[in-house]
Amino acid sequence: MQNIIRLENLEDSRLDIYRKYSEVQLLHFYEPAEGVFIAESPIVIGRALDAGYEPFSFLVEEKQLEQKNTREVLERCQDIPVFTSSLEMLNNLTGFSLTRGMLCAMRRKALPTLEEVCKAARRIAILEDVVNPTNVGAIVRSAAALHVDAILFTSPCADPLYRRAIRVSMGTIFQIPWTVLDKQMEWPKEGFCRLRELGFVTVAMALTDQSVSIDDPEVMAQDKLAIILGTEGEGLKQETIDACDFTVRIPMSHGVDSLNVAAASAVAFWQLCK
């Protein structure tokens, strides 16, 4: 039975999850247990449900309750509280404009190990200290679309379950295996050892004197590749570049030296994950 709760004011303490806490606080909400994240829009929430994430409340614009895609999501979550009001009231509550008029607070799941994520993978992406949630979301979406089998994040990266990262990824973060490296090992030193034990050849995306073209035949011939992308602006750490088996670049024209990391990731995945 659907549990619809129509809001008359914003003082209900059950709304604090949407109003009171920052995303960092939500991440640590049940510490030491896994925390909370906010998914936005029926499509994204549906993909999170498909991946087995557990909802504990919804925040829905009243007009959206009659929309087919909203009803389909809510019908999968009987007895979960659905708080509803006007869009203006909900925007005042959250401090931002709701995309597709729907939010869902969900429990995080324990992260898998590197070995679990990479068990059946041939092509993986590693994001080193990519701090912009928009870039993280865009890279995840490109990875899911362009045949990347798994994604590894270093802990300084923007959390891939931040609301904006999830939204930019269109929920594809729920469709591709991923984990955070630094929670399990020292990066890059121990990380490289474990990747090589799993049979991965490492590829740094970087501009150096030793960089080869991204379509280099020797690179393309490798059975298992780990494609490593660096932070906005500074790129990869020199220690990471030095540890890689190959360093590759995307050929440029008109005097342009590089692309935004999200754009570069799409080119790299298209070429290296064929």
Side-chain angles (χ1 to χ4, degrees), residues 78-127:
Q78 299 293 327
D79 299 324
I80 302 296
V82 180
F83 299 100
T84 186
S85 187
S86 68
L87 182 60
E88 180 182 7
M89 189 173 182
L90 298 185
N91 287 346
N92 287 336
L93 170 71
T94 62
F96 57 84
S97 181
L98 273 67
T99 300
R100 306 294 182 186
M102 188 178 196
L103 298 178
C104 180
M106 310 189 90
R107 298 186 189 276
R108 290 172 179 259
K109 298 193 292 187
L111 290 172
T113 65
L114 180 151
E115 285 76 12
E116 289 169 337
V117 165
C118 296
K119 180 170 58 177
R122 290 187 59 255
R123 296 291 188 265
I124 65 172
I126 302 175
L127 276 60

Side-chain angles (χ1 to χ4, degrees), residues 141-157:
R141 188 174 182 181
S142 292
L146 298 172
H147 311 294
V148 173
D149 300 311
I151 308 176
L152 310 177
F153 301 90
T154 63
S155 59
C157 285

Side-chain angles (χ1 to χ4, degrees), residues 19-162:
R19 169 184 56 198
K20 184 177 178 180
Y21 298 100
S22 70
E23 293 198 280
V24 173
Q25 290 172 319
L26 291 176
L27 173 62
H28 301 286
F29 195 76
Y30 291 115
E31 204 164 50
E34 302 302 323
V36 175
F37 67 93
I38 305 295
E40 185 175 12
S41 86
I43 290 176
V44 169
I45 295 167
R47 288 176 176 166
L49 293 173
D50 290 343
Y53 286 89
E54 177 188 352
F56 60 85
S57 70
F58 291 91
L59 195 65
V60 183
E61 180 191 0
E62 199 159 25
K63 290 193 302 184
Q64 288 292 323
L65 290 173
E66 302 306 317
Q67 297 297 315
K68 181 176 181 290
N69 55 1
T70 301
R71 293 200 314 271
E72 288 174 347
V73 168
L74 296 180
E75 285 167 3
R76 299 174 62 180
C77 304
Q78 299 293 327
D79 299 324
I80 302 296
V82 180
F83 299 100
T84 186
S85 187
S86 68
L87 182 60
E88 180 182 7
M89 189 173 182
L90 298 185
N91 287 346
N92 287 336
L93 170 71
T94 62
F96 57 84
S97 181
L98 273 67
T99 300
R100 306 294 182 186
M102 188 178 196
L103 298 178
C104 180
M106 310 189 90
R107 298 186 189 276
R108 290 172 179 259
K109 298 193 292 187
L111 290 172
T113 65
L114 180 151
E115 285 76 12
E116 289 169 337
V117 165
C118 296
K119 180 170 58 177
R122 290 187 59 255
R123 296 291 188 265
I124 65 172
I126 302 175
L127 276 60
E128 183 182 86
D129 304 358
V130 179
V131 298
N132 185 308
T134 299
N135 283 336
V136 167
I139 293 169
V140 168
R141 188 174 182 181
S142 292
L146 298 172
H147 311 294
V148 173
D149 300 311
I151 308 176
L152 310 177
F153 301 90
T154 63
S155 59
C157 285
D159 191 317
L161 293 185
Y162 280 171

